[in-house]
Structures are given as structure tokens and as C-alpha cells.
Amino acid sequence: MSSEHEQQRSRLPSEHTEQPSDEPWADLELTLPHNRSPTGIVSFVECALVELTHEDVGAEFVSTSLAGVKRTQFIAVDDVGQRFKKRFFDERLGWHETTISREAVRDELVNRLTQRSSLGSDVGQHSVVDDQDKFQVMPVPEL
């Protein structure tokens, strides 16, 4: 009970969902840009990795730029959470899949979530890209 209370307290007000959920991973969502500290990002990523290891969920980072939408997904492939399947989608190249270590997933997520955004608010020659980069944890079938 106290850990649930601590989780509620540690979330930013903008990160609360309209509908409460009993799933521990349901609120593991972050839109860039954000105002979390680097230490807060590391903690957030560690929480996500724990959920990926112990639940039937995956993580997805979606970035939008002038070059199109790119999706990177991570799913644990062993029971101890040391190996992950990384699936990457680029509108121009399609899907690519590889297996990487927990450390590589952690480093990649920390790096991506500490950056401002891919190009979400930049102006191109013909239009403005206004979609925000987003990270979220969701059930594997929804990826």
C-alpha cells in the first residue's frame, strides 16, 4: 500500500490518467518534452524495465520528424530480463528486429528520454510537424 502511495506522489500531475488502473505499468507513459530531471528519467526507465521483465507488456517509443514516424519497441525475451527483442519501424525502411541486452535497452531509453524531442515542433519546407515524441508501456498484443 505504501509503495502505491509513493508511486502516486512521485508522478507529475499531468501524468495522471482519467481512469484509474490496477495495473502497475498503466501510468508508465512520458511525452517529450517533459520537465523530469536526469535522475528522474533513470528511475522511470528502471521502473519500466522491471515491468517489462515481470508482466506481459512491452515498451514503445514513437518519434515523429520530417522524415516520418519511427517506432522502437522493446519486449523481454527471457524470464530474468537480461535479453530484449528490439523492433524498429521506419516508414521508409519497414521493420527491423534484433536482440539486445538489458543494459543496451536502459541506455537507449535514458538517452532518448533525456533529449528534448526528435523534431516534433520544427518547421519543414511544406508544413509544421507538431506531434510529440512519446514513450509508453502497454500489453504486448497492442504493440
Side-chain angles (χ1 to χ4, degrees):
M1 184 76 134
S2 66
S3 72
E4 182 179 40
H5 178 67
E6 290 171 14
Q7 287 177 348
Q8 290 291 333
R9 250 189 18 219
S10 69
R11 290 188 196 115
L12 297 175
S14 64
E15 293 172 338
H16 288 282
T17 58
E18 295 286 326
Q19 301 173 346
S21 174
D22 292 337
E23 303 296 344
W25 48 264
D27 290 332
L28 288 174
E29 184 175 301
L30 191 60
T31 303
L32 278 74
H34 56 75
N35 59 357
R36 287 196 179 216
S37 69
T39 305
I41 292 298
V42 171
S43 177
F44 178 83
V45 168
E46 289 295 339
C47 287
L49 288 172
V50 167
E51 294 305 325
L52 294 179
T53 303
H54 299 292
E55 300 290 333
D56 190 23
V57 295
E60 180 176 61
F61 184 84
V62 179
S63 62
T64 305
S65 70
L66 297 174
V69 175
K70 296 181 181 179
R71 296 178 178 277
T72 306
Q73 301 173 343
F74 302 97
I75 301 166
V77 295
D78 63 17
D79 292 341
V80 293
Q82 294 303 311
R83 292 183 326 130
F84 288 80
K85 182 184 336 178
K86 177 182 176 182
R87 301 189 315 197
F88 178 75
F89 175 78
D90 182 308
E91 288 181 337
R92 297 172 293 152
L93 304 173
W95 285 98
H96 174 72
E97 190 172 299
T98 188
T99 301
I100 62 175
S101 69
R102 179 186 191 95
E103 182 180 353
V105 173
R106 180 185 185 277
D107 291 346
E108 183 170 341
L109 289 175
V110 167
N111 287 335
R112 285 181 180 223
L113 295 175
T114 54
Q115 296 179 12
R116 294 178 134 180
S117 69
S118 57
L119 284 178
S121 60
D122 288 351
V123 178
Q125 286 181 325
H126 304 291
S127 64
V128 174
V129 178
D130 59 3
D131 290 334
Q132 294 179 311
D133 292 352
K134 184 176 183 177
F135 171 84
Q136 66 182 28
V137 174
M138 64 182 78
V140 170
E142 293 180 22
L143 289 174

